[in-house]
Amino acid sequence: MNFDKLVKQAIEIVGFPFTLTNMYLNKRRYIKEIGQRINIGDRFIHTIVADEKNSEYTVILDAGLSCCSLDWHYIQPQLAKFSSVLSFDRAGYGWSSTTPTAYTSEDVVSDLTYILENLQLKPPYILVGHSFGGLNMRLFASKYPAKVAALILIDAVHEKRYLSNEWDTIRKNSHKKNLNLFRFGYLTSGIGLPKLLKQPVGRKYLPEPYQKYVQYIGYHPKSYETAYKEFLYSEKSALQVKNAQALKADMPVVVLSSNNTDLTWVEHQNLLSQLTKNTTQIKTNCQHSIHLENPDLVIKVIQNTMKMPIGQA
């Protein structure tokens, strides 16, 4: 990563006029955060909170790799009608500040624990994780089982996806290609090349009024750095989940699976469906981002979980 930083700085020096222009454009695109910042030492995490005082549960939403709290733009307001809800931007995404070192699932759980205490959002928690966010939510559930009522995984990755000793040749090549793309985005983000190529981090399009936020956070240089680092250290996160304590055998888990027919992906979804003795798998006709394609299904699953008695949810 240190070598990459030097390369990035060299590119920005050589392309100094472009660097200045990109800095100016980033300042012009600036839009104030939607939610509130929670200070953690010398940095901060951006959170969006709906605190329903009479709610029995707190729902926590964690987006996939390269995505942020904007991913829950439809689901969170609907859930807020009957529950406390928290979405957040992992360090470096959205409006959250970056970290100088690797930021793994352990760090996400540590930040989240602090945020929940700071905001006084009480358990029991219903954890909802999409894609890479599923790793983070599983680790939280493993570390704090007494605080977790249920775990909902939205086409989540299995840790094997990021464990290099599990890869065949096709997966190795795919990972290398994706890593190079993330690296290219990071190295050239300072001069604004990804913006010129119209390749933002996260979602390219969201419905109004959220598209203006995409234009700011999606093309900010720190977003490219964060996505690259999260992917670069993804195996470390996967190992943290693999080595964590097994989930409680009776913990309610719902696995929402996409229509992805890749044999390895299907195998991993089946493995997730065996996380506990109380795991249910729902196979959908949606693509990867089920929470955007069919948000009502996700809301219904969360509602059904809440209807179960606390302790059996």
Side-chain angles (χ1 to χ4, degrees), residues 10 24 31 43 46 48 55 62 67 75 80 136 139 148 151 195 219 256 264 277 298 305:
Y24 170 73
I31 297 179
R43 57 189 179 86
H46 172 250
I48 301 177
S55 173
D62 193 13
C67 295
I75 285 180
N136 305 327
L139 188 60
V148 177
L151 173 65
K195 169 64 176 174
Y219 290 109
L256 287 166
T264 302
K277 295 179 180 179
V298 177
T305 301

Side-chain angles (χ1 to χ4, degrees), residues 49-213:
V49 185
D51 190 3
E52 174 54 60
K53 299 298 182 182
N54 297 321
S55 173
E56 292 182 298
Y57 297 97
T58 298
V59 180
I60 301 172
L61 306 170
D62 193 13
L65 194 150
S66 84
C67 295
C68 69
S69 55
L70 292 180
D71 249 34
W72 310 103
H73 68 274
Y74 180 83
I75 285 180
Q76 183 161 0
Q78 301 303 314
L79 293 176
K81 294 176 181 178
F82 53 84
S83 176
S84 296
V85 193
L86 166 71
S87 63
F88 63 102
D89 300 334
R90 296 192 296 276
Y93 287 127
W95 288 273
S96 292
S97 56
T98 58
T99 61
T101 56
Y103 188 73
T104 65
S105 292
E106 282 278 7
D107 300 302
V108 176
V109 172
S110 177
D111 281 355
L112 183 55
T113 303
Y114 181 89
I115 290 167
L116 291 169
E117 292 176 356
N118 184 280
L119 295 173
Q120 297 183 346
L121 292 172
K122 305 298 183 183
Y125 302 126
I126 295 178
L127 308 177
V128 183
H130 171 241
S131 196
F132 189 86
L135 291 178
N136 305 327
M137 295 297 93
R138 282 177 57 196
L139 188 60
F140 188 101
S142 176
K143 293 174 75 73
Y144 304 104
K147 296 183 178 182
V148 177
L151 173 65
I152 298 172
L153 301 173
I154 305 174
D155 214 34
V157 296
H158 188 274
E159 60 269 26
K160 284 189 175 184
R161 181 168 181 81
Y162 294 115
L163 296 176
S164 55
N165 63 339
E166 296 283 347
W167 298 344
D168 58 17
T169 302
I170 295 175
R171 176 58 185 156
K172 286 180 182 178
N173 292 336
S174 173
H175 184 87
K176 183 178 180 180
K177 178 182 177 181
N178 288 330
L179 184 62
N180 287 336
L181 286 173
F182 281 119
R183 183 172 184 264
F184 176 79
Y186 164 63
L187 294 178
T188 62
S189 59
I191 60 173
L193 185 56
K195 169 64 176 174
L196 186 64
L197 298 175
K198 297 182 178 180
Q199 294 298 321
V201 172
R203 307 296 172 185
K204 184 175 288 189
Y205 302 108
L206 284 177
E208 294 296 350
Y210 302 100
Q211 186 59 29
K212 61 184 178 182
Y213 301 122

Side-chain angles (χ1 to χ4, degrees), residues 254-302:
V254 180
V255 176
L256 287 166
S257 301
S258 69
N259 58 4
N260 190 337
T261 57
D262 176 79
L263 293 179
T264 302
W265 188 266
V266 172
E267 176 192 347
H268 289 177
Q269 291 299 296
N270 289 337
L271 288 174
L272 291 174
S273 70
Q274 301 168 29
L275 282 176
T276 71
K277 295 179 180 179
N278 197 11
T279 299
T280 302
Q281 183 180 18
I282 300 175
K283 298 180 180 180
T284 75
N285 291 320
C286 301
Q287 297 182 30
H288 185 50
S289 297
I290 301 170
H291 59 302
L292 294 175
E293 189 173 338
N294 192 354
D296 291 333
L297 172 62
V298 177
I299 294 169
K300 183 178 180 181
V301 168
I302 296 172

